[in-house]
Amino acid sequence: MSVPGDMQVKRGSGRNQTITMRDVAEDSGFSPATVSIVLNNAPLARYIAPATKKRIEESAKKLGYRPNAMARFLRSKRSHSVGVIFFDITDPFCTPVLRGIENALYQSSYVPIFADAHNQRNRFERYLEMLLEHHVEALIVVANWLVVDIHLLADLSKRNIPAATIGWELPGDIVSSVMVDNEIGGRLALEHLQQLGHRKIAFIRGPKMIIDSAPRWRGVQKYAHTVGLEIDPALVAQLPDSFDPNSGFDGGYRLAEEFLQKRKKFTALMAFDDLTALGAIRALAKAGVKVPEQCSVIGFDDVLPAAVSVPSLTTVRQPLETMGTNAANIVMDGVKAGLEKRDWSTLRQKVTPELVIRDSTRDAAHGAAD
Amino acid sequence: MSVPGDMQVKRGSGRNQTITMRDVAEDSGFSPATVSIVLNNAPLARYIAPATKKRIEESAKKLGYRPNAMARFLRSKRSHSVGVIFFDITDPFCTPVLRGIENALYQSSYVPIFADAHNQRNRFERYLEMLLEHHVEALIVVANWLVVDIHLLADLSKRNIPAATIGWELPGDIVSSVMVDNEIGGRLALEHLQQLGHRKIAFIRGPKMIIDSAPRWRGVQKYAHTVGLEIDPALVAQLPDSFDPNSGFDGGYRLAEEFLQKRKKFTALMAFDDLTALGAIRALAKAGVKVPEQCSVIGFDDVLPAAVSVPSLTTVRQPLETMGTNAANIVMDGVKAGLEKRDWSTLRQKVTPELVIRDSTRDAAHGAAD
DNA sequence: TTGTATGCGTTATCAA
DNA sequence: TTGATAACGCATACAA
């Protein structure tokens, strides 16, 4: 039996709330400074006796010590957090992106502080403010949909906090960005339809205010030109600007209906994105046009609804999760660079989309929607 | 013209990084204490001369002063952040919930720290650890899918941090919870089919490990009993346990296929959730069974894919965004209670689901899948 | 009505 | 190889 004095019972006095470093110091018999060095595995830890380390680590574990992130920040200026602002989380586009970001940050033991601008400029600004107050070490903006003028972001670089945008880019080299290569994507989609033998193709272009719209369409035009495919202006429509990222569905429905009313024959339809494609498919179905038998439809993005619809949607896949991961890694690299006083420059990354062939497209031999 | 001495230009010296309260104090000519009182509108602010307040506020604005959340926390023990752990953000169920949580927290100027457990226990624990380090003032767990035993959460109440779960509940009264009333939901679904005249109905029940499965099925059984509807055991299947929240799609597909192979006639199918329903619809379509003409299908949840599928899916809607909002309000109330040393007790909230009739169901007169 | 002094839990700079 | 000590930026008790 051990003598009473042997008992390491912590006097459960008043301050039973939180275990501080001082508690660990007392328990282990070393000074707070040493404890700090050991527990952070700081450079100086090389000079600490292994036995000491062990004792300290044991005490820490025994007491359930948890470093206080706030106190730590006050000294080290490191909050171990990154701000992540979504323009509109409602867009299924965002989910895999968020997953990618989260996963990358997790690897570095950083936490994401989540913000959703609801497509409102003042909300965006307010969140920026809040994130700054929380001293996030970096910022990621997922700007899939609406424009909010992001000059605000330029402000950040002044504060030396690395920022990256996903699905959007700013002029200049202040903010990093990760985007799909829309031109390749546009080509991929049209190429697929063309190779299936489609010649009469209807197009629903993206809203003017979306940055992806123009290059994606350029990809289409260039490819059409290359293979000598004629694009009938009567079969080209454009989604109206809107604040709702999922409005493409209604837009696709309406524009497809209009195509049908024109009684212009087409055997395939290329939509700006997946939801637009699904909207179009619904219009076609309502008019009794079967997909893909009478009309092939291709989307863009590869969000969840594309995979689980009936028929499943052929689409051009954006590697959304990867895009999130990359953006997070880019800013984290910036954070590390700042820490090590290394030089670091902003990055503009284009990722390559990929054709995903499913059930909504097939060869043109069979029929046509008119 | 003002004299040179009038210029309030801040010497852009070394410490141009961050504006602290001391800077504001110097600039306004008052002490840091007074500045603190004014800027926080603390109780003592009542006694401060309006002119003083004005001067201080102007200086603060002019200098672009931003309180340092970390430093503030160290004193006040308030981090102005709430941890939000998702078991698996990949589930479309989560998006509206997240939106609801975010919106409620925003109203109180709290930020959500986002965590995604990827359905892994150790990841869940690690995040809990990280959130504790960041001293979140409350915790919300969105446990839509897999079980991770949440005894860990009980730990939190010891630390006096209010917690709530969404889509899951714990025994005891340690943690608040917000759930749909699954029994009502189950009844609603069956009632709809029954009122459309369906008698031969196939059922795909939820996985055993999901907490919703049992009560939802109970609702079905009770209603069937009430109206004297017979449930054919050969037309009842159950989704296998799985770690992937979207696996219901494949499960629905497979089980619907099996029903079809049995050559038992049914004119309607009730699926555990929307994705399961969509999977089933794909199987039916593949077998040439038209929905809703030959077979009605109803889902549960009302996630995005349900609304944009073709045909659009009739479903029992969970008020997901509201559930998120409610959970956030519940824990925020706990936070305030703690602050005011008020009493506060944990809550178990059941929200009411709602039938959303769309295009995947119709009266039974027309045909049957066999 | 405002200012002074102190400490929150850590880390960094010394000195020992 | 380790320990004192002094900040970090803010909020409060207390003094003035």
Side-chain angles (χ1 to χ4, degrees):
Chain A
M1 269 181 64
S2 54
V3 295
D6 220 347
M7 296 171 56
Q8 298 271 7
V9 179
K10 188 91 173 97
R11 51 268 158 241
S13 55
R15 57 189 324 300
N16 58 354
Q17 310 284 20
T18 324
I19 313 274
T20 96
M21 215 172 68
R22 226 183 328 265
D23 295 323
V24 178
E26 276 179 34
D27 184 86
S28 64
F30 292 92
S31 77
T34 310
V35 173
S36 173
I37 290 168
V38 170
L39 260 29
N40 289 306
N41 205 3
L44 272 61
R46 307 196 310 107
Y47 306 114
I48 306 272
T52 305
K53 286 189 189 174
K54 194 148 159 271
R55 283 245 299 287
I56 290 179
E57 273 153 8
E58 279 170 3
S59 297
K61 176 170 296 180
K62 188 183 64 182
L63 301 180
Y65 168 72
R66 229 184 286 282
N68 182 324
M70 308 300 164
R72 169 179 294 176
F73 166 81
L74 208 49
R75 282 295 318 190
S76 66
K77 298 303 175 203
R78 306 189 54 192
S79 65
H80 278 263
S81 67
V82 170
V84 185
I85 309 188
F86 288 84
F87 274 25
D88 192 333
I89 190 67
T90 275
D91 190 337
F93 178 100
C94 296
T95 305
V97 173
L98 177 53
R99 164 66 70 106
I101 293 171
E102 176 267 340
N103 200 28
L105 294 182
Y106 181 74
Q107 308 303 326
S108 322
S109 289
Y110 271 63
V111 295
I113 298 188
F114 174 87
D116 181 356
H118 294 208
N119 274 312
Q120 293 161 18
R121 187 201 168 89
N122 58 355
R123 199 172 175 116
F124 182 88
E125 289 173 7
R126 174 85 180 93
Y127 264 126
L128 212 49
E129 196 81 10
M130 291 171 73
L131 294 177
L132 254 25
E133 283 179 13
H134 281 265
H135 289 261
V136 293
E137 293 184 51
L139 187 72
I140 300 174
V141 179
V142 184
N144 49 313
W145 197 246
L146 171 63
V147 187
V148 158
D149 108 318
I150 325 195
H151 296 315
L152 298 158
L153 292 187
D155 221 50
L156 296 179
S157 66
K158 281 187 220 140
R159 298 175 195 277
N160 264 322
I161 111 162
T165 59
I166 299 179
W168 187 263
E169 53 186 6
L170 286 163
D173 57 352
I174 300 174
V175 175
S176 297
S177 63
V178 177
M179 292 200 62
V180 248
D181 191 315
N182 277 296
E183 200 164 323
I184 292 184
R187 172 165 67 63
L188 242 35
L190 183 54
E191 187 180 47
H192 174 61
L193 296 177
Q194 191 260 347
Q195 289 180 351
L196 285 175
H198 295 280
R199 295 299 175 266
K200 301 286 184 193
I201 303 174
F203 297 90
I204 300 180
R205 297 174 54 185
K208 267 197 291 292
M209 73 180 187
I210 303 293
I211 197 177
D212 308 88
S213 299
R216 205 171 290 177
W217 181 241
R218 204 182 314 127
V220 168
Q221 285 179 306
K222 279 192 186 171
Y223 182 77
H225 184 75
T226 305
V227 298
L229 183 80
E230 200 179 329
I231 297 179
D232 181 352
L235 287 178
V236 177
Q238 182 152 27
L239 253 16
D241 284 346
S242 158
F243 287 167
D244 175 4
N246 294 334
S247 66
F249 184 80
D250 292 329
Y253 182 87
R254 251 203 6 272
L255 293 175
E257 251 184 346
E258 286 178 18
F259 283 148
L260 256 13
Q261 280 162 4
K262 285 185 185 167
R263 316 222 118 252
K264 274 249 176 187
K265 185 172 133 168
F266 58 97
T267 66
L269 186 151
M270 173 180 166
F272 173 64
D273 63 11
D274 291 338
L275 289 183
T276 306
L278 291 171
I281 289 179
R282 180 173 296 176
L284 293 170
K286 189 186 167 203
V289 178
K290 285 190 175 176
V291 175
E293 289 81 356
Q294 297 170 266
C295 183
S296 289
V297 175
I298 188 168
F300 204 106
D301 288 350
D302 196 21
V303 293
L304 177 65
V308 300
S309 68
V310 182
S312 58
L313 194 68
T314 294
T315 191
V316 176
R317 174 164 221 273
Q318 296 200 39
L320 299 173
E321 187 166 339
T322 302
M323 290 164 72
T325 304
N326 290 3
N329 286 335
I330 288 173
V331 294
M332 287 308 296
D333 195 50
V335 167
K336 280 191 204 106
L339 232 57
E340 304 165 2
K341 300 179 195 321
R342 235 193 310 123
D343 263 2
W344 178 76
S345 66
T346 200
L347 219 63
R348 295 174 155 257
Q349 187 177 89
K350 282 258 188 304
V351 297
T352 309
E354 180 193 0
L355 180 68
V356 178
I357 301 176
R358 290 200 272 243
D359 297 334
S360 68
T361 51
R362 81 188 246 183
D363 55 282
H366 296 271
D370 67 335
Chain B
M1 269 183 63
S2 53
V3 296
D6 220 347
M7 296 172 57
Q8 298 271 8
V9 179
K10 187 91 174 101
R11 51 270 159 239
S13 55
R15 57 188 324 299
N16 57 357
Q17 310 284 19
T18 323
I19 314 275
T20 94
M21 213 171 68
R22 226 186 326 267
D23 295 321
V24 179
E26 277 179 33
D27 183 86
S28 65
F30 292 92
S31 79
T34 311
V35 172
S36 172
I37 291 168
V38 170
L39 260 29
N40 289 307
N41 205 4
L44 273 62
R46 306 195 312 105
Y47 305 114
I48 305 273
T52 305
K53 286 189 189 173
K54 197 149 156 271
R55 282 245 300 286
I56 290 179
E57 274 155 7
E58 280 170 2
S59 294
K61 177 169 297 181
K62 189 184 64 181
L63 301 182
Y65 168 72
R66 230 183 285 280
N68 182 323
M70 308 300 166
R72 169 180 295 174
F73 165 78
L74 207 51
R75 284 293 317 196
S76 64
K77 300 298 177 203
R78 306 189 53 192
S79 66
H80 276 265
S81 66
V82 170
V84 184
I85 310 189
F86 287 85
F87 273 26
D88 192 332
I89 190 65
T90 275
D91 190 338
F93 178 100
C94 296
T95 305
V97 173
L98 176 54
R99 164 66 70 108
I101 293 172
E102 176 267 339
N103 200 28
L105 294 182
Y106 181 74
Q107 307 304 325
S108 322
S109 288
Y110 272 63
V111 294
I113 298 189
F114 173 88
D116 180 356
H118 295 208
N119 274 313
Q120 293 161 19
R121 187 201 167 89
N122 57 355
R123 199 173 175 114
F124 182 87
E125 289 173 6
R126 175 83 181 95
Y127 263 126
L128 212 49
E129 196 81 9
M130 291 171 72
L131 294 177
L132 255 24
E133 284 180 13
H134 282 264
H135 287 259
V136 292
E137 294 183 50
L139 186 72
I140 300 173
V141 178
V142 183
N144 50 311
W145 198 247
L146 171 63
V147 187
V148 158
D149 110 317
I150 327 198
H151 296 315
L152 297 159
L153 290 188
D155 220 52
L156 295 179
S157 67
K158 280 187 222 141
R159 299 173 194 278
N160 263 323
I161 110 162
T165 58
I166 298 180
W168 187 263
E169 52 187 7
L170 286 164
D173 57 352
I174 301 176
V175 176
S176 297
S177 63
V178 178
M179 292 200 63
V180 247
D181 191 315
N182 277 295
E183 199 163 324
I184 292 185
R187 172 164 68 61
L188 242 35
L190 183 54
E191 186 180 48
H192 174 60
L193 296 176
Q194 192 260 346
Q195 289 179 351
L196 285 174
H198 295 280
R199 295 298 175 265
K200 302 286 186 193
I201 303 175
F203 296 90
I204 300 180
R205 298 174 55 184
K208 267 197 291 291
M209 73 179 186
I210 304 293
I211 197 176
D212 307 88
S213 300
R216 204 171 291 178
W217 180 241
R218 205 181 314 127
V220 167
Q221 284 179 306
K222 279 191 186 171
Y223 182 77
H225 186 75
T226 305
V227 298
L229 182 80
E230 201 181 327
I231 296 179
D232 181 350
L235 287 178
V236 177
Q238 183 152 26
L239 253 16
D241 284 346
S242 158
F243 288 167
D244 175 4
N246 294 334
S247 66
F249 184 80
D250 292 330
Y253 182 87
R254 250 204 6 272
L255 293 176
E257 250 184 348
E258 287 178 16
F259 284 147
L260 257 11
Q261 280 162 6
K262 285 185 184 165
R263 315 222 118 250
K264 274 249 179 188
K265 185 171 132 169
F266 59 96
T267 67
L269 186 152
M270 172 179 166
F272 173 65
D273 64 12
D274 291 338
L275 289 183
T276 306
L278 291 171
I281 289 180
R282 181 172 296 177
L284 293 169
K286 189 185 168 202
V289 178
K290 284 191 178 177
V291 175
E293 289 81 357
Q294 298 170 267
C295 182
S296 288
V297 176
I298 189 168
F300 204 107
D301 288 350
D302 195 21
V303 293
L304 178 64
V308 300
S309 68
V310 183
S312 58
L313 194 68
T314 295
T315 190
V316 176
R317 174 165 220 273
Q318 297 200 39
L320 299 173
E321 187 167 338
T322 302
M323 291 164 71
T325 302
N326 290 3
N329 287 335
I330 288 172
V331 294
M332 286 308 296
D333 195 50
V335 168
K336 281 192 203 102
L339 233 57
E340 304 166 2
K341 300 179 193 323
R342 237 194 309 124
D343 264 3
W344 178 76
S345 66
T346 200
L347 219 64
R348 296 174 154 257
Q349 187 177 89
K350 282 258 188 303
V351 297
T352 310
E354 180 193 359
L355 180 68
V356 178
I357 301 177
R358 290 200 273 242
D359 297 335
S360 68
T361 51
R362 80 188 247 182
D363 56 282
H366 295 270
D370 68 335

